[in-house]
Amino acid sequence: MRLFQKHFCAVAIWLWAVSASNAQLLVEPTLHIKAEAGSGRVALTLDACGGKTDTRILSALVENKITATIFVTGIWLKHNAAAVAIMRAHPELFELENHGGRHVPAVDTPQKIYGIRSAGSPEAVLAEVESGAAALAVTGEPAPKWFRGATAEYSPSAIAMIRKLGFKIAGFSINGDGGSLLGAKETARRIAAAKDGDVIIAHINQPTHTAGEGVVQGLRALKAKGLTFVRLDDADGVGDEGTTD
């Protein structure tokens, strides 16, 4: 019995070590845009993962003429035609990019990230990226140049595959809303703290979350400071982990 217990414990420790090793392989890339002389530039990126549209944010962007790069999934596109129409009516403001077909993490080994099951294989990663691009093509949007996977975490081998497909991978330097789970006050504080060269990530698909109110407040604060908003396609973005080079 003792021999079995020792063997069982040894196996458990080995499995824990393997699991920890796999977790360490995941990376969360950063992204900055190159600084310019003047009051400063920031890039606002908003994820539309699934669900509905936060019209508080969309209306504020249009009313305040704030440009943004919107990362959309195939799932979100199917159910938000009205929001897409507004975005397409303002091409000077909005750039739609690839957030995947089904909103699964671009990780080519089976595991869960923030409770979401990963793609799990190289073939599944490619399917997620290509189906997201195909969903955008149906809307008549230009072919996407950027990709951001669900959870914004990747295996290095998945990054290499995505880059071979011709996509740059959009990291960020400021997590504005904590996955849309932060309160309005903290979200506003984080976004308002952005400075020249920062890339902000937040979400535009959670209309019932208080974080959306904070996104609007933070963006208005940045505009009041005189910062300029740019889309990723209009700026030279530099990411780590081989995501843009």
Side-chain angles (χ1 to χ4, degrees), residues 54-107:
D54 192 331
T55 55
R56 296 169 298 181
I57 298 174
L58 183 56
S59 297
L61 296 176
V62 174
E63 291 168 7
N64 292 277
K65 295 181 172 54
I66 294 175
T67 61
T69 302
I70 316 293
F71 283 89
V72 298
T73 65
I75 297 170
W76 184 86
L77 286 171
K78 286 182 180 178
H79 303 288
N80 292 273
V84 173
I86 292 172
M87 293 174 186
R88 294 196 67 194
H90 295 278
E92 76 284 2
L93 297 180
F94 301 109
E95 163 195 341
L96 272 59
E97 295 290 349
N98 186 358
H99 196 30
R102 299 184 300 111
H103 197 251
V104 297
V107 174

Side-chain angles (χ1 to χ4, degrees), residues 9 19 47-48 122 130 148 191 194 213 231 244:
C9 289
S19 176
D47 287 0
E130 291 175 339
R148 174 180 287 154
I191 292 177
E213 178 185 341
R231 300 171 298 190
T244 62

Side-chain angles (χ1 to χ4, degrees), residues 123-158:
E123 295 78 12
V125 170
L126 294 177
E128 172 71 358
V129 178
E130 291 175 339
S131 62
L136 266 171
V138 172
T139 70
E141 281 294 303
K145 300 175 183 177
W146 290 85
F147 175 81
R148 174 180 287 154
T151 75
E153 294 199 6
Y154 311 81
S155 51
S157 49

